[in-house]
Amino acid sequence: MSDMTDRNRTDKPEAETPAATGARRTTRRGGGDPATRGRTTIADGVVEKIAGLAARDVVGVHTMGSGLSRTFGAVRDRVPGGTKAVTRGVKAEVGEVQTALDLEIVVDYGMSIADVARAVRENVVAAVERMTGLEVVEVNIAVSDVKLPEEEEEEVETRLQ
């Protein structure tokens, strides 16, 4: 009998339970942190723009793209209302949490191609991961040309005539 008496003393009286007092139980709506509700998708073009701008910021990168794409880009840049193609020379494959990039660059003469490529890789990975939250699994760099100093002088002369 003392066992039953002890149990009754430790239980809450019926008047204090939520059902007896008329209090409602609070329910959480929405299922968790608002930041985790829904999906965010990032288009390939967004990653390509970020990577293109980050690659162009590296000292030693003269321009992006192959000779043919640069020619078409130069024509497009001269057309009134035309915009500079920041994605020229950049191809991205974007998944749900990872991305892979292929870049085609032209390096200034006299610069170490290995050093420029390493700096481009570091800058592109940092920019893409910071801005998108995607993991960059690889950045493949193809050096399609070297910009010689005399090539620049010839370009300027032909424009002036």
Side-chain angles (χ1 to χ4, degrees):
M1 186 148 137
S2 67
D3 192 27
M4 193 61 133
T5 310
D6 288 341
R7 210 177 314 157
N8 287 341
R9 285 187 197 151
T10 59
D11 288 344
K12 288 184 178 179
E14 267 189 50
E16 292 179 19
T17 62
T21 60
R24 291 186 183 173
R25 283 182 17 176
T26 58
T27 57
R28 260 178 94 174
R29 296 185 181 187
D33 181 24
T36 61
R37 298 180 199 172
R39 260 179 38 176
T40 302
T41 56
I42 300 171
D44 293 1
V46 172
V47 175
E48 289 170 356
K49 281 184 181 181
I50 295 167
L53 290 171
R56 283 174 175 81
D57 283 345
V58 174
V59 174
V61 174
H62 181 75
T63 191
M64 304 281 294
S66 66
L68 186 60
S69 70
R70 289 194 321 265
T71 302
F72 285 125
V75 170
R76 186 177 44 243
D77 292 346
R78 289 189 177 105
V79 173
T83 58
K84 187 174 182 182
V86 294
T87 61
R88 184 178 1 164
V90 183
K91 175 71 178 123
E93 293 179 23
V94 180
E96 289 185 26
V97 294
Q98 294 178 327
T99 186
L101 296 155
D102 294 323
L103 305 175
E104 190 170 358
I105 64 173
V106 175
V107 176
D108 289 324
Y109 178 78
M111 301 296 295
S112 165
I113 293 174
D115 290 345
V116 171
R118 184 176 60 258
V120 167
R121 231 178 238 107
E122 289 172 357
N123 208 31
V124 167
V125 168
V128 170
E129 288 185 347
R130 179 179 50 83
M131 293 182 71
T132 66
L134 296 168
E135 177 190 4
V136 178
V137 292
E138 66 180 3
V139 178
N140 299 312
I141 299 173
V143 179
S144 62
D145 201 359
V146 173
K147 182 65 174 174
L148 300 174
E150 60 269 7
E151 287 177 344
E152 191 170 72
E153 292 170 9
E154 289 173 11
E155 261 181 42
V156 172
E157 287 176 16
T158 56
R159 285 188 205 161
L160 294 176
Q161 292 177 358

